[in-house]
Amino acid sequence: MKMYQKREKKDDEDAAGSNPFSKLQKTAVLQEARVFNETPVNARKCALILTKILYLINQGETLSTQEATDAFFNMTKLFQSKDTTLRRLVYIGIKELSKLAENVYVVTSSLTTDMNAKEDQCRPSAIRTLTTITDVTTFQGIERYMKQAIVDKNAAVASAALVSSLHMAKLIPDGIKRWVNEAQEAVNSDNVMVQHHALGLLYHIRKSDRLAVSKLVTKYIRSGLKSPYAVCMLIRIASKLIEDEDSGTDSPYFDFIDSCLRHKLEMVVYEAANAIVNLKCTSQRELTPAVSVLQLFLSSPKPTLRFAAVRTLNKVAMTHPNAVTACNVDLENLITDANRSIATLAITTLLKTGSESSVERLMKQISSFMSEISDEFKIVVVGATRQLCQKFPRKHNVMMVFLSNMLREEGGYEYKKSIVDTIINIIDDNPEAKEAGLAYLCEFIEDCEHVGLAVRILHLLGKEGPRTSRPSKYIRFIYNRLILENAPIRAAAVSSLAKFGAHCEDLLHNILVLLERSCLDTDDEVRDRATYYLNVLKLRQKSLHNQCILNPLQVSLVGLEKALQQYILEPSVTPFDMKSVPLATQVDKVEERPKKPMVNGLTNEALPNQVSKAPAEKIAATRQDIYAEQLAAIPEFVALKLGPILKSSLPIELTESETEYVVQCVKHIFKRHIVLQFDCTNTLNDQILENVRVSMQVPDGFEEVCTIVCPRLNYNIPAPTYTCLEIVNDDTSMITGTCENILLKYIVKDCDPNTGQLLDEDGYDDEYALEDVDILVADYMQRILKPNFGTAWEEIDSEHEVEETYALSSFKAIDEAIKNVIGFMGMQPCERSEKVPEGKSSHTLYLAGVFRGTDEVLVRAKLAVNTSNFESGVTMKMSVRCRNPEVATFIALKRDYKEITNNPIPNIYAKPLDNNILEWHFAMRGAQQTPYENGLYHGRIEFPVDFPFKPPSFYMLTPNGRFKCNTKICLNTSNYHPEAWNPSWSVASLLIGLYSFMNDDEPTWGSLRSSKEERMQLALMSWAYNLQDPIFVSLFPELAQECKRKISMICSSKMIKT
Amino acid sequence: MPFFGNLLKFLGIRKGEANILVVGLDNSGKTTILNAFKSPENKSEEIVPTVGFNVEKFKMDKISFTAFDMSGQGRYRNLWEHYYKNIQGIIFVIDSSDSLRLVVAKEELDLMLKSEEIESKPNIPVLIFANKMDLVESMSSVKISQGLGLASMKNRPWHIQASNALTGEGLHEGIQWLSEQLLQQNK
């Protein structure tokens, strides 16, 4: 004993001023723990040892299972001591060791005794400890005590039991559900905390059943809750319910949340305001009261309230910037707030909502205390800057300087990454900012400790650098990396250098010297790359440069692996054909929108047999591979020898989303076949569909070869049925069309909604009409990315070029037109040409794609906004280059038709005959302030088979006084002068030409000379004349109706005159 | 210090205190026996199967007992050994009416007595309660001692006591024997 005391004293001396536990040894402490076995227990001594053990565990010391179990059982002996402090330490010890030791359930009875003890001191802690050691096997033993504890008079005990139940619900969800009555009773407690916790448990128990939750919310909205915490929780549950049910702001739950804005406690008011601004369905009107409440909080003396309000407003500023502008004055006041977090959020919020003029002032303000805030907030600032750049591209100078200053300062990886991301984004969006941005990034990699960032920047330099005004200035920065950095960065630098060499003739010589030096590098990868690039560049062949350096391979990696495997398995003399490998699908972020949640709250992930699209971007790259696997598993398709999938379209909804059956169609394009995959979902729980198949009217040029029937469609489990079409006509002009009269056919059998058991063996046949499916040009087109479009363009001879001009009159702005053109063509925009710099009235779009898996198609489209003409809209001059001229022509004519019907030229209507695409009919209204003003003229265009290489011919059918009827009209553009024909003229431009030519009086072949009066007379008569033509009436039914109206008007006006 | 502590341990009871281990098969009445020793205001109204163990304290015949009431269910029996250390007495409870499992009880008893911690301390007395003697089908204590082979236990003080934990019959006598043994050793 004396010895012990002495040692303790010494320990105390050591401890003076320093951590008494700093020199603890695990084994020594565990040895000491044997003291626990002594009787009687020395509470103080044991408490000290226990503290040591806990200290060690919290310092990250790891105990083996054996050590932990020994220590645990030693500790259980301490239950004989009645000392409260020691007992509480034992509880903590049990909690800590329960995850490490075995057989921890041994203390179950001891803890249940404690939780039912007469003194309240230890009861809550005993309950909490008990839950950490309870598993499925011991659960039943404690259930009764937990139920009692939940409704205990002592609030601390009840709260502990409720919260512990929530924790246990993770492990034993079904067991906890049996406690619903107790939880309900506890909600009626007078104690604020108990009520809050009880509501939480009750919600947790019912949360999977939406109906039960809505009942719960309705009940407590009506009866009212005393506890503000519980009200806050109710607000959260209610707002979740609104989102789930999509019920919008008319729902009674919203009224409740709204009424909470007038609650007497700030906490509840804030919660309600936060819920309202976070709801997706709120409009400006509902938002205003919530925002004004937050505005009030902004000037609160309590910093927490100010912080909460400014943080929420910051979030709202993204979605509803206008709503937040009202708070600008209050936000301005917070810029100088003593709390830096509040100030940062205030500034970033202002940046989001502020006007262009205030940007500079705010940036200055924020840079003054940038060094005082944490990385986390710096990232918030960077994020705000990025948004600002998108909003005010002209301010990029200020932003760039600001960002580069931040880049120079100390900061963690996440922070630096967000800055680099932002700069790259600005460069992407704004070509003017490119050179400055690249310069800052160059400066950054001079002293950059993050390998990933440096590699990324080097890649960017390789891509963008060669095309700047002075590429040579970047070489120095890249070469420095080659000398100073580690292997991955050096390798990236070599690739980057090679791109400069391939692109800039004048630098090639110097680059070769630099690459030669890298051939002596110590790292294999660097040497390999340098040798490869050196040899390619030495040959000085432009096309080789393009293939090997500038435009790399674009195949799907999974597909390449499969194809190579296949090739090795079947020995053959022919070399491996790269063309047989499916191309990598370009991830299109615009189209790949997140899927709508399925009906009845079931999400896609929960359903088997359908491609889960949860992480949209990740899956998209391999989506096609998944489809390919699914299709390959069907023997009928294997027998058809379909070959690899060229392209799978995105799912098209063929039904409204809330109907009995939901059907989506995916078009899989093969070399000679098209497989239509219909994913059907049965949303009626009292029906089972059997023998589900799709019938349709197949368009010309196709033949239905087989149908794969879906044998059984259970409730809410989607299953596919397939229809395979063969492309029978080799003529490329026949490969598009519309599948009409699509019917889903099936046998309906009634079943029990709960068990899914069949009630009716026979069932009856039924069908369900679906929307039409179009097979479009875009379906055949695979997107490929040409990192260097210019060189790829030059590679294809200009003689394979077809030019077209279009009036896209339905689009007012270029970017809108571009989006539609890309969508229609199904091609990949290159060189970021899909982004239009602000304020430009003309723009060039580069598109690349592969048609039917073989023909590479490049498109250069120059778009300009029509400002000179009285008609507004966008004009597009499009050049198509493709080694296969047939393909280029096909795209031209087909798209023409589309263009004119979709975007009508004012006053001109044109349609081909249903049975002959080469004969078009048009109708044009007479131009204002000409003799033809009151007329409608019908005519005919005949296209030669080799259009657009030969011109079409025009015929006027309605008597007009300008042209002879049914006689070829001589236009520069018509086939009367084939030598003057230019293939780039489109049907639209030809018709516009004819239209203006009619208004002139210039004589030509087929023209007539008649008086103005005569022409006016003919104009009035034209309506009746047209009605006599059956082709006119059938092609233009709307116009025929108009004719009838017009005739009656003309008649009545004549009557008045006479 | 450890040496000093061990010395104390060897001396057994100090200041009239004793640690005892209460073991036996499940449903033999261990918790009920201990409940009978408690003061009337501390008595539990209903006894449920013990999960793990319970610590009970009671005073009798000048000795304060700290009893580790172990769970008798099969899956918890292997936990007994954690509590063999530092005990001065063992109470083994038998359900006299359960003749079928008497062999199981014997096995558990033998296993315990053969464990290193117990075998090395032959002075630890073993008190056997032949509980539930009130039941008609219950065996006599003689029969039980035969069944357990107690006669072969020669190097250790033992005593078998018929008891009825519900009425308290026989309990006091049993504890009295145990106290005597412990006090004797302490002299």
Side-chain angles (χ1 to χ4, degrees):
Chain A
M1 269 313 213
K2 255 187 178 173
M3 272 162 69
Y4 179 72
Q5 275 173 348
K6 234 176 159 181
R7 223 179 93 177
E8 208 170 40
K9 226 175 179 179
K10 215 174 139 206
D11 275 354
D12 286 347
E13 276 163 22
D14 283 346
S18 67
N19 181 358
F21 294 153
S22 60
K23 284 180 198 131
L24 287 184
Q25 291 284 317
K26 179 176 84 174
T27 41
V29 174
L30 291 179
Q31 195 79 16
E32 273 187 271
R34 292 192 183 169
V35 176
F36 297 165
N37 286 315
E38 280 172 17
T39 321
V41 171
N42 180 339
R44 273 194 59 199
K45 197 163 86 182
C46 292
L48 181 72
I49 296 166
L50 203 49
T51 315
K52 286 181 188 173
I53 296 176
L54 292 173
Y55 175 83
L56 282 176
I57 294 174
N58 280 307
Q59 286 296 301
E61 191 78 61
T62 50
L63 301 183
S64 69
T65 313
Q66 188 57 46
E67 284 169 337
T69 311
D70 285 347
F72 184 81
F73 275 96
N74 285 335
M75 198 164 64
T76 61
K77 308 282 169 60
L78 298 179
F79 269 104
Q80 50 181 300
S81 166
K82 290 264 187 271
D83 189 288
T84 328
T85 325
L86 182 61
R87 185 60 62 90
R88 289 202 172 154
L89 269 174
V90 170
Y91 292 149
I92 300 173
I94 292 172
K95 281 189 208 165
E96 290 289 338
L97 289 172
S98 64
K99 281 145 216 127
L100 309 167
E102 284 175 330
N103 297 334
V104 290
Y105 48 74
V106 73
V107 288
T108 306
S109 271
S110 308
L111 287 172
T112 46
T113 313
D114 279 2
M115 76 184 256
N116 296 317
K118 291 214 170 58
E119 315 85 61
D120 286 334
Q121 278 169 308
C122 288
R123 294 178 62 200
S125 331
I127 292 171
R128 287 188 207 105
T129 316
L130 187 59
T131 51
T132 63
I133 59 149
T134 299
D135 59 15
V136 186
T137 54
T138 51
F139 177 74
Q140 236 164 1
I142 67 157
E143 190 169 358
R144 208 165 54 112
Y145 301 115
M146 286 300 286
K147 280 184 179 177
Q148 281 169 8
I150 287 174
V151 292
D152 198 280
K153 280 195 287 298
N154 184 317
V157 172
S159 269
L162 286 162
V163 176
S164 303
S165 314
L166 261 177
H167 286 300
M168 270 197 281
K170 279 175 224 145
L171 200 68
I172 315 153
D174 294 336
I176 307 297
K177 283 196 181 143
R178 296 196 289 263
W179 303 355
V180 67
N181 288 334
E182 283 74 17
Q184 217 142 26
E185 199 181 326
V187 178
N188 301 328
S189 162
D190 286 335
N191 185 286
V192 286
M193 247 15 221
V194 174
Q195 193 172 52
H196 171 228
H197 290 145
L199 184 64
L201 181 64
L202 206 55
Y203 171 64
H204 185 88
I205 292 173
R206 301 205 164 148
K207 116 182 128 173
S208 51
D209 179 358
R210 197 198 288 173
L211 200 67
V213 174
S214 64
K215 267 189 200 158
L216 176 92
V217 174
T218 317
K219 178 180 165 192
Y220 290 117
I221 285 175
R222 204 172 300 145
S223 65
L225 291 166
K226 228 178 99 188
S227 155
Y229 305 105
V231 175
C232 285
M233 176 167 289
L234 200 59
I235 291 173
R236 285 185 195 181
I237 301 172
S239 68
K240 187 161 185 306
L241 214 53
I242 295 174
E243 295 277 281
D244 285 353
E245 287 181 352
D246 254 345
S247 50
T249 49
D250 336 315
S251 99
Y253 310 130
F254 186 82
D255 294 341
F256 160 70
I257 299 177
D258 200 56
S259 72
C260 286
L261 285 176
R262 292 175 290 280
H263 199 272
K264 57 181 185 297
L265 281 169
E266 283 159 339
M267 177 171 63
V268 177
V269 176
Y270 170 73
E271 190 65 46
N274 189 41
I276 290 176
V277 300
N278 281 324
L279 277 176
K280 286 190 199 78
C281 55
T282 43
S283 67
Q284 189 80 30
R285 197 170 57 83
E286 287 103 12
L287 217 54
T288 320
V291 171
S292 56
V293 161
L294 291 171
Q295 186 178 5
L296 215 60
F297 286 168
L298 284 179
S299 42
S300 156
K302 296 179 192 158
T304 39
L305 218 48
R306 290 202 304 272
F307 179 75
V310 75
R311 188 157 167 255
T312 310
L313 284 173
N314 191 320
K315 259 190 259 165
V316 190
M318 307 238 203
T319 45
H320 304 280
N322 295 336
V324 183
T325 34
C327 314
N328 274 2
V329 181
D330 302 85
L331 286 168
E332 295 265 358
N333 293 335
L334 291 182
I335 291 180
T336 47
D337 199 288
N339 185 319
R340 286 308 181 206
S341 307
I342 296 176
T344 313
L345 284 170
I347 291 178
T348 49
T349 313
L350 279 172
L351 285 176
K352 282 174 194 164
T353 60
S355 60
E356 195 159 355
S357 53
S358 60
V359 167
E360 253 161 287
R361 186 175 55 85
L362 290 169
M363 295 307 267
K364 203 169 276 170
Q365 186 88 43
I366 205 166
S367 42
S368 68
F369 63 80
M370 202 60 191
S371 53
E372 294 168 43
I373 55 177
S374 68
D375 265 17
E376 196 186 338
F377 277 111
K378 284 179 185 167
I379 293 174
V380 175
V381 174
V382 173
T385 321
R386 181 192 298 202
Q387 282 187 336
L388 215 54
C389 286
Q390 273 162 2
K391 217 161 117 196
F392 307 119
R394 266 176 292 168
K395 283 283 169 196
H396 68 86
N397 259 337
V398 190
M399 315 280 176
M400 275 298 196
V401 172
F402 176 69
L403 286 171
S404 69
N405 280 335
M406 288 204 282
L407 210 48
R408 277 179 210 131
E409 279 160 27
E410 286 295 305
Y413 171 69
E414 283 300 321
Y415 171 50
K416 291 282 160 96
K417 184 171 164 273
S418 75
I419 300 176
V420 171
D421 275 345
T422 307
I423 294 184
I424 293 178
N425 245 308
I426 297 173
I427 294 174
D428 274 1
D429 287 338
N430 196 338
E432 286 167 42
K434 190 155 104 179
E435 303 230 352
L438 288 180
Y440 289 130
L441 290 177
C442 280
E443 185 195 318
F444 173 59
I445 52 170
E446 283 289 310
D447 182 23
C448 169
E449 57 203 317
H450 309 294
V451 176
L453 286 182
V455 169
R456 223 173 121 197
I457 292 169
L458 281 169
H459 180 76
L460 182 79
L461 281 177
K463 218 169 83 184
E464 302 292 344
R467 273 171 290 163
T468 51
S469 56
R470 258 186 51 221
S472 56
K473 71 176 172 195
Y474 300 106
I475 303 288
R476 178 169 65 90
F477 293 101
I478 301 175
Y479 188 62
N480 280 349
R481 304 281 71 69
L482 218 44
I483 308 171
L484 299 169
E485 301 281 2
N486 56 15
I489 300 184
R490 288 204 303 272
V494 166
S495 301
S496 183
L497 271 184
K499 285 192 183 129
F500 276 90
H503 204 279
C504 316
E505 289 290 346
D506 46 335
L507 291 176
L508 183 57
H509 178 70
N510 300 333
I511 299 252
L512 284 176
V513 175
L514 295 179
L515 285 178
E516 240 164 82
R517 264 205 222 161
S518 293
C519 287
L520 305 171
D521 199 281
T522 48
D523 185 75
D524 292 347
E525 173 73 20
V526 179
R527 261 197 327 273
D528 285 354
R529 285 197 195 188
T531 320
Y532 171 73
Y533 288 130
L534 191 65
N535 285 313
V536 172
L537 289 173
K538 263 184 187 162
L539 295 173
R540 290 175 198 261
Q541 286 174 8
K542 200 79 193 163
S543 68
L544 199 63
H545 292 181
N546 288 337
Q547 260 175 22
C548 299
I549 301 176
L550 298 177
N551 290 326
L553 267 185
Q554 295 205 336
V555 290
S556 129
L557 284 182
V558 186
L560 179 64
E561 192 186 343
K562 261 190 211 153
L564 283 173
Q565 219 168 16
Q566 197 65 33
Y567 182 72
I568 294 167
L569 285 178
E570 294 163 11
S572 84
V573 276
T574 51
F576 181 72
D577 183 13
M578 207 60 203
K579 281 237 164 102
S580 67
V581 182
L583 292 169
T585 341
Q586 293 292 335
V587 183
D588 187 4
K589 282 179 193 141
V590 186
E591 285 176 43
E592 199 81 23
R593 61 190 193 289
K595 267 201 79 102
K596 274 185 259 165
M598 297 287 286
V599 268
N600 295 349
L602 264 173
T603 54
N604 252 0
E605 293 103 286
L607 307 169
N609 210 356
Q610 183 160 7
V611 189
S612 156
K613 295 226 262 172
E617 280 179 41
K618 250 189 202 165
I619 299 284
T622 56
R623 199 173 66 99
Q624 198 164 322
D625 297 319
I626 297 169
Y627 281 134
E629 233 158 76
Q630 284 175 353
L631 291 179
I634 299 170
E636 283 89 339
F637 290 154
V638 177
L640 282 171
K641 292 206 166 60
L642 298 175
I645 296 188
L646 300 178
K647 182 170 180 170
S648 294
S649 73
L650 290 166
I652 308 162
E653 305 277 351
L654 297 186
T655 51
E656 306 282 319
S657 56
E658 296 280 335
T659 47
E660 302 95 300
Y661 312 115
V662 179
V663 180
Q664 290 185 329
C665 176
V666 180
K667 294 171 271 185
H668 304 289
I669 309 289
F670 292 88
K671 190 80 201 159
R672 297 207 46 83
H673 295 85
I674 294 176
V675 171
L676 300 173
Q677 172 181 344
F678 298 93
D679 286 317
C680 315
T681 314
N682 172 14
T683 65
L684 300 175
N685 60 0
D686 55 354
Q687 278 188 3
I688 284 178
L689 305 188
E690 284 186 2
N691 203 14
V692 184
R693 66 221 177 268
V694 170
S695 80
M696 66 179 83
Q697 190 186 328
V698 179
D700 287 343
F702 296 91
E703 206 171 86
E704 197 174 315
V705 278
C706 77
T707 310
I708 308 295
V709 175
C710 170
R712 191 183 170 101
L713 196 58
N714 286 333
Y715 164 60
N716 234 339
I717 299 170
T721 156
Y722 301 89
T723 299
C724 179
L725 306 179
E726 188 179 355
I727 304 169
V728 280
N729 201 326
D730 255 333
D731 187 355
T732 22
S733 65
M734 299 292 276
I735 60 167
T736 57
T738 305
C739 302
E740 287 167 334
N741 300 332
I742 303 185
L743 291 173
L744 189 69
K745 296 190 169 175
Y746 44 82
I747 301 170
V748 183
K749 289 186 179 173
D750 292 334
C751 73
D752 188 309
N754 299 319
T755 60
Q757 225 164 10
L758 279 182
L759 298 176
D760 158 27
E761 274 307 316
D762 298 329
Y764 53 92
D765 281 308
D766 201 358
E767 51 187 37
Y768 191 82
L770 303 177
E771 278 167 36
D772 294 350
V773 175
D774 290 313
I775 299 167
L776 306 166
V777 183
D779 291 329
Y780 293 98
M781 197 69 85
Q782 285 167 275
R783 295 160 162 262
I784 50 165
L785 184 75
K786 293 278 176 198
N788 198 325
F789 187 84
T791 53
W793 179 259
E794 291 305 321
E795 259 182 76
I796 300 178
D797 282 334
S798 57
E799 60 180 275
H800 297 307
E801 184 172 315
V802 180
E803 253 185 12
E804 295 282 331
T805 307
Y806 302 101
L808 311 176
S809 51
S810 61
F811 304 118
K812 295 278 168 285
I814 290 188
D815 48 355
E816 190 191 351
I818 284 183
K819 228 168 94 183
N820 280 285
V821 168
I822 293 172
F824 179 70
M825 309 275 293
M827 293 166 81
Q828 175 70 28
C830 300
E831 314 254 327
R832 287 195 300 276
S833 59
E834 76 274 23
K835 284 179 188 154
V836 187
E838 211 188 4
K840 287 263 178 74
S841 62
S842 65
H843 182 70
T844 309
L845 173 70
Y846 302 109
L847 297 171
V850 170
F851 185 72
R852 295 189 76 183
T854 44
D855 301 308
E856 201 172 273
V857 182
L858 298 178
V859 170
R860 189 176 66 189
K862 287 182 182 155
L863 294 104
V865 181
N866 267 348
T867 42
S868 52
N869 272 348
F870 55 91
E871 49 186 285
S872 63
V874 176
T875 321
M876 176 170 75
K877 186 177 167 196
M878 179 183 277
S879 322
V880 183
R881 280 191 183 186
C882 175
R883 291 204 171 84
N884 185 344
E886 202 191 341
V887 171
T889 321
F890 160 69
I891 292 171
L893 190 66
K894 205 64 200 175
R895 205 188 34 257
D896 247 348
Y897 166 46
K898 202 80 187 178
E899 217 64 68
I900 291 175
T901 48
N902 282 355
N903 317 305
I905 311 170
N907 297 333
I908 305 180
Y909 311 89
K911 269 184 182 175
L913 287 183
D914 285 338
N915 50 9
N916 180 7
I917 198 173
L918 293 176
E919 184 178 329
W920 287 48
H921 282 250
F922 66 89
M924 55 170 91
R925 290 171 197 282
Q928 304 278 314
Q929 276 136 29
T930 65
Y932 318 106
E933 189 172 10
N934 285 317
L936 179 74
Y937 302 93
H938 172 208
R940 180 158 63 89
I941 316 170
E942 278 176 13
F943 289 96
V945 184
D946 44 359
F947 178 84
F949 296 105
K950 295 232 177 78
S953 36
F954 289 81
Y955 301 87
M956 208 56 140
L957 299 175
T958 312
N960 49 65
R962 173 78 177 93
F963 302 117
K964 283 181 198 156
C965 285
N966 226 343
T967 308
K968 255 187 211 172
I969 299 169
C970 163
L971 287 172
N972 286 346
T973 54
S974 78
N975 79 343
Y976 210 82
H977 296 288
E979 69 284 353
W981 167 249
N982 182 339
S984 71
W985 286 324
S986 71
V987 182
S989 51
L990 293 175
L991 284 171
I992 294 172
L994 180 67
Y995 187 67
S996 57
F997 192 58
M998 185 165 162
N999 298 336
D1000 287 342
D1001 233 349
E1002 192 186 324
T1004 176
W1005 187 261
S1007 72
L1008 284 171
R1009 284 195 158 272
S1010 37
S1011 69
K1012 194 180 165 195
E1013 290 71 32
E1014 218 174 326
R1015 287 177 183 171
M1016 283 168 74
Q1017 189 64 35
L1018 284 167
L1020 284 175
M1021 282 159 64
S1022 63
W1023 303 92
Y1025 186 89
N1026 290 339
L1027 268 183
Q1028 290 163 10
D1029 191 327
I1031 298 180
F1032 175 83
V1033 177
S1034 72
L1035 276 180
F1036 307 105
E1038 303 87 9
L1039 288 174
Q1041 284 299 322
E1042 198 188 332
C1043 285
K1044 283 178 191 157
R1045 279 200 306 275
K1046 205 81 179 187
I1047 291 164
S1048 60
M1049 266 174 67
I1050 293 167
C1051 288
S1052 56
S1053 67
K1054 267 186 186 161
M1055 302 242 288
I1056 295 163
K1057 265 185 201 165
T1058 49
Chain B
M1 201 288 292
F3 169 74
F4 206 67
N6 283 343
L7 199 68
L8 277 175
K9 226 182 279 173
F10 262 98
L11 287 176
I13 11 173
R14 221 175 21 153
K15 294 183 232 151
E17 288 188 12
N19 276 2
I20 54 171
L21 192 65
V22 185
V23 290
L25 298 190
D26 47 310
N27 197 31
S28 55
K30 299 174 291 298
T31 311
T32 318
I33 289 175
L34 289 174
N35 197 41
F37 292 136
K38 285 197 228 163
S39 56
E41 68 270 18
N42 281 336
K43 274 192 169 61
S44 313
E45 276 150 28
E46 50 179 335
I47 309 294
V48 293
T50 308
V51 179
F53 77 102
N54 263 324
V55 188
E56 301 291 357
K57 290 195 169 188
F58 61 93
K59 198 165 179 179
M60 203 163 271
D61 292 330
K62 294 175 213 156
I63 295 181
S64 303
F65 289 98
T66 303
F68 285 88
D69 171 20
M70 302 305 298
S71 168
Q73 289 172 39
R75 54 185 288 250
Y76 301 127
R77 279 181 218 149
N78 59 340
L79 301 175
W80 293 356
E81 59 184 27
H82 290 284
Y83 298 87
Y84 292 166
K85 220 181 282 170
N86 204 27
I87 51 166
Q88 283 86 40
I90 295 171
I91 297 179
F92 197 90
V93 186
I94 305 270
D95 176 358
S96 314
S97 63
D98 190 0
S99 52
L100 212 60
R101 291 204 299 164
L102 193 61
V103 270
V104 184
K106 176 180 167 29
E107 231 168 80
E108 293 292 347
L109 179 65
D110 288 349
L111 200 69
M112 176 171 71
L113 294 177
K114 271 190 195 123
S115 76
E116 203 190 331
E117 303 249 15
I118 307 283
E119 202 170 28
S120 60
K121 291 178 214 157
N123 57 343
I124 295 181
V126 180
L127 169 64
I128 294 142
F129 275 124
N131 201 22
K132 305 193 188 179
M133 63 181 227
D134 52 316
L135 295 179
V136 193
E137 66 272 27
S138 63
M139 302 168 284
S140 70
S141 53
V142 178
K143 208 164 182 191
I144 289 171
S145 84
Q146 276 170 354
L148 292 176
L150 292 179
S152 61
M153 188 158 51
K154 292 205 172 86
N155 56 348
R156 187 183 294 279
W158 62 268
H159 177 72
I160 185 157
Q161 174 70 48
S163 68
N164 178 354
L166 295 175
T167 57
E169 247 176 290
L171 296 184
H172 196 257
E173 290 85 340
I175 294 300
Q176 212 162 17
W177 175 82
L178 195 62
S179 315
E180 274 165 22
Q181 287 294 321
L182 293 171
L183 287 170
Q184 217 166 27
Q185 282 174 23
N186 209 20
K187 270 172 195 164

